Amino acid sequence: MIRKLLLTVLSSTIIFAQSTVISNYENGLKCLAGKDTVNAIQLLKKDIEESERADSYYQLAMILQASKDYYIMNEAEDYYKKAIDKDPLNTKYRLDYGKYLEMIDVKVRDDMTARKRARDQYEKVIEISPSNSAAYFRMGRLEYNDYLDYHNSFQKETVASGDNYFITSPSARSKLKEQQCEVSQDAQLSFEKEAENSFGATEEYLRLAIKNDSSLYDAYTTLAGLYEDSGDYQKGIDVLKQLLRKKENDFSHHATLAFLYYRLNEPEQSYAAFQKTIALMTN
């Protein structure tokens, strides 16, 4: 009888503890929905103390990354890592962690590894879920940024020497100029090769994103932008035409189409697309 009573008390205690854990988590989400982040943080931290729930770590990371304070924003990374440690197959956690790292890559210029770490997360998502269009799109954007970096670096690199001003021999100056030219050509060839590789990777990832989710409209516009930047205006037009079959009343896409026709030296098609743009804007 006493044993049965003890078991009943113990069971009630466990149930009460479980309900308290759920309450902290659920109340934290309610506070978050009501934009009460102060109490949401406190409740989610309490839930972590009691349960180490993966989603509590994730929700805290999402709150902290939105802070304008760099040091608070920086804390989000630890929570993302812990959420992923608890639930390594959760693609949502990895995608948002990757987006966070992309943000760090832009805001914190001295973090030279953020872009690579974001890429690592997206690659893991693709490994877990091979048809994940969002991961392909994010990879495409990263490669596109790399392409622009290399593409915009087509400039001559010269070797400067502190003694240049003291070279008076014509033959010595001529030799130095030849060396500088050789280095410049090598650097440009390197940039061109890297840009070519990034272009191919961007194109592949964005087309995979579209293939796996034809309603991922940002993938179309990013791909069209890639073709525009590379000077392949016809391919950009073809991509925009695909998009307009799905979003025919978006004036911004018609405006971009008009611009690409103009760059392709097709004035009649450009004018028609501009007219369509104006008509949609005034409706």
Side-chain angles (χ1 to χ4, degrees):
M1 185 70 179
I2 294 174
R3 183 181 178 184
K4 186 176 180 180
L5 181 61
L6 287 171
L7 288 172
T8 302
V9 172
L10 181 60
S11 178
S12 299
T13 303
I14 292 171
I15 292 170
F16 176 76
Q18 289 175 338
S19 65
T20 304
V21 171
I22 293 171
S23 178
N24 283 330
Y25 172 69
E26 290 181 345
N27 285 334
L29 294 183
K30 287 179 181 178
C31 289
L32 190 56
K35 299 184 179 180
D36 180 4
T37 55
V38 174
N39 283 318
I41 289 171
Q42 292 178 352
L43 288 163
L44 291 170
K45 284 185 175 180
K46 285 182 180 179
D47 183 66
I48 286 172
E49 289 174 3
E50 297 170 338
S51 72
E52 293 194 346
R53 191 192 308 270
D55 203 58
S56 288
Y57 284 113
Y58 167 74
Q59 296 296 339
L60 276 169
M62 294 289 284
I63 296 170
L64 296 174
Q65 79 169 32
S67 174
K68 294 180 180 179
D69 185 307
Y70 166 75
Y71 295 102
I72 295 175
M73 180 184 70
N74 199 45
E75 290 179 26
E77 182 163 9
D78 288 336
Y79 286 102
Y80 272 122
K81 287 180 177 178
K82 288 174 181 176
I84 291 169
D85 284 343
K86 296 290 179 184
D87 190 358
L89 298 181
N90 192 308
T91 57
K92 179 177 69 172
Y93 296 172
R94 290 185 180 276
L95 280 169
D96 284 333
Y97 179 36
K99 292 176 188 177
Y100 165 82
L101 291 169
E102 286 189 64
M103 178 183 69
I104 294 297
D105 179 54
V106 173
K107 291 188 175 182
V108 187
R109 289 296 182 180
D110 60 347
D111 190 335
M112 305 300 291
T113 66
R115 192 182 294 189
K116 179 187 180 304
R117 289 185 288 140
R119 183 179 279 107
D120 291 342
Q121 292 303 315
Y122 300 143
E123 287 177 344
K124 187 63 179 179
V125 171
I126 292 169
E127 180 184 324
I128 296 168
S129 176
S131 61
N132 194 300
S133 57
Y136 286 120
F137 173 63
R138 303 308 301 191
M139 283 293 289
R141 279 173 53 96
L142 286 175
E143 291 292 346
Y144 186 27
N145 288 335
D146 285 347
Y147 168 75
L148 291 175
D149 287 345
Y150 293 124
H151 184 67
N152 294 332
S153 296
F154 290 165
Q155 54 188 346
K156 289 187 177 181
E157 299 288 334
T158 59
V159 177
S161 169
D163 296 329
N164 288 355
Y165 299 107
F166 302 99
I167 298 176
T168 57
S169 167
S171 62
R173 287 199 300 269
S174 176
K175 185 176 181 180
L176 176 62
K177 189 173 182 180
E178 288 177 5
Q179 290 174 341
Q180 290 174 337
C181 184
E182 288 175 4
V183 172
S184 174
Q185 289 175 347
D186 290 344
Q188 185 167 352
L189 286 172
S190 176
F191 283 133
E192 288 176 350
K193 183 63 177 177
E194 293 295 341
E196 182 181 335
N197 292 339
S198 293
F199 176 91
T202 303
E203 185 178 38
E204 180 181 2
Y205 282 125
L206 291 175
R207 288 199 175 279
L208 283 169
I210 293 169
K211 179 181 177 181
N212 286 286
D213 182 2
S214 61
S215 65
L216 188 53
Y217 304 131
D218 285 345
Y220 292 89
T221 56
T222 306
L223 185 58
L226 174 71
Y227 290 136
E228 178 189 345
D229 288 326
S230 68
D232 198 338
Y233 306 124
Q234 185 58 59
K235 281 189 176 181
I237 289 168
D238 293 342
V239 171
L240 285 174
K241 284 182 175 179
Q242 291 178 41
L243 176 57
L244 286 168
R245 284 196 286 269
K246 299 175 180 298
K247 293 190 73 179
E248 61 180 352
N249 293 324
D250 190 316
F251 70 85
S252 64
H253 300 327
H254 286 281
T256 305
L257 183 64
F259 176 74
L260 289 178
Y261 272 126
Y262 174 78
R263 297 294 297 271
L264 196 61
N265 197 26
E266 296 284 355
E268 291 184 6
Q269 289 91 332
S270 179
Y271 179 75
F274 270 125
Q275 289 295 101
K276 182 68 173 179
T277 302
I278 294 169
L280 290 170
M281 289 177 69
T282 54
N283 285 343

